Amino acid sequence: MTKGTEMLYVYEVEIFKDGDFYIAVPFDFDGATEGLSKLECLEMASDLLTTEIQDQLMHGKELAEPTVDNESQYGGKIYSLVIDTSLSSIPRMLKAEAARELRISPGRVSQLIAAGKLETFSYQGKEYVTKASVDARKQYNDFGSQDGFSGVEQKQDLTQSENYRPQELLYWSPQPCDVMVFKQPKKHVQTQTYDARERM
């Protein structure tokens, strides 16, 4: 459904207690997230769904059809989350702005985009770089030199996973050996690896 220029997406998640943590598992997307309280877990689940929806919108993918009246898989409680987002709500910048932010040349920005190190999407006829991917580059690389070709950056470029996604989110994949952990939006949330299949 729509709300002005935004879109409202409704998806269900299951939340259950696991030790000291509350775990949230979406029904229509892969992955899971956690929080120290049920409210915090709901907030993390909302962030997870928002990121997944925005990622699919940016890449022109068809969103999963929402399912309703799902049954509990882990003995928890089912919640419906309304996500208010669209392409226009994704923090972004033009390539020239990204170059200034990273203190590198526009040509180097194009190289990073081609190598999958910066994430872009088209909106209203212009190509934008996501702010999340720019922030991720600033975090993982040393941009002390103006040309952006420092030894630290080159070394880290070679060691980054090809499945790298520059999103500021704590995220788990239910598949073993495919756990992805990104910068936590809340410093007090502890990180632990969770395999959703353990409770199936």
Side-chain angles (χ1 to χ4, degrees):
M1 71 185 90
T2 61
K3 176 188 175 185
T5 59
E6 301 292 291
M7 288 289 295
L8 298 181
Y9 302 90
V10 182
Y11 287 99
E12 291 187 350
V13 300
E14 180 177 358
I15 292 184
F16 60 95
K17 191 77 178 293
D18 184 34
D20 294 331
F21 295 89
Y22 286 89
I23 309 297
V25 181
F27 283 94
D28 302 304
F29 294 94
D30 292 333
T33 189
E34 69 176 16
L36 291 173
S37 67
K38 188 173 291 186
L39 177 60
E40 186 177 74
C41 192
L42 283 168
E43 293 173 350
M44 296 291 286
S46 177
D47 290 342
L48 172 77
L49 291 176
T50 299
T51 300
E52 288 294 330
I53 291 170
Q54 289 180 348
D55 181 72
Q56 296 194 27
L57 290 175
M58 284 191 296
H59 295 92
K61 299 179 181 178
E62 185 174 350
L63 286 168
E65 187 70 22
T67 57
V68 296
D69 297 327
N70 288 286
E71 296 184 0
S72 170
Q73 301 180 35
Y74 309 104
K77 187 173 181 180
I78 310 301
Y79 293 84
S80 294
L81 297 182
V82 179
I83 309 299
D84 185 2
T85 190
S86 68
L87 283 175
S88 64
S89 64
I90 300 174
R92 61 194 183 275
M93 59 186 71
L94 295 171
K95 292 181 182 179
E97 295 172 321
R100 288 194 295 270
E101 184 73 18
L102 296 173
R103 294 184 294 167
I104 58 178
S105 67
R108 179 57 176 156
V109 168
S110 297
Q111 290 178 351
L112 292 173
I113 292 172
K117 305 298 184 179
L118 287 175
E119 186 175 41
T120 63
F121 68 99
S122 297
Y123 176 65
Q124 293 185 342
K126 295 182 179 180
E127 186 177 31
Y128 291 93
V129 182
T130 63
K131 183 179 184 300
S133 68
V134 171
D135 289 342
R137 294 302 302 175
K138 290 172 67 176
Q139 178 181 355
Y140 287 106
N141 295 290
D142 175 14
F143 287 97
S145 59
Q146 291 297 316
D147 61 7
F149 285 97
S150 69
V152 175
E153 180 185 352
Q154 291 178 355
K155 181 178 178 181
Q156 291 179 341
D157 279 349
L158 293 174
T159 58
Q160 281 185 344
S161 167
E162 63 182 12
N163 294 322
Y164 165 75
R165 292 174 59 194
Q167 298 162 348
E168 298 181 10
L169 182 66
L170 188 63
Y171 176 85
W172 288 268
S173 165
Q175 302 300 322
C177 302
D178 190 23
V179 178
M180 296 180 288
V181 181
F182 302 98
K183 187 176 72 175
Q184 300 176 17
K186 299 179 180 179
K187 293 184 179 179
H188 61 279
V189 178
Q190 299 180 15
T191 302
Q192 72 175 30
T193 300
Y194 175 75
D195 189 340
R197 299 186 301 176
E198 289 179 357
R199 289 180 168 268
M200 295 180 65

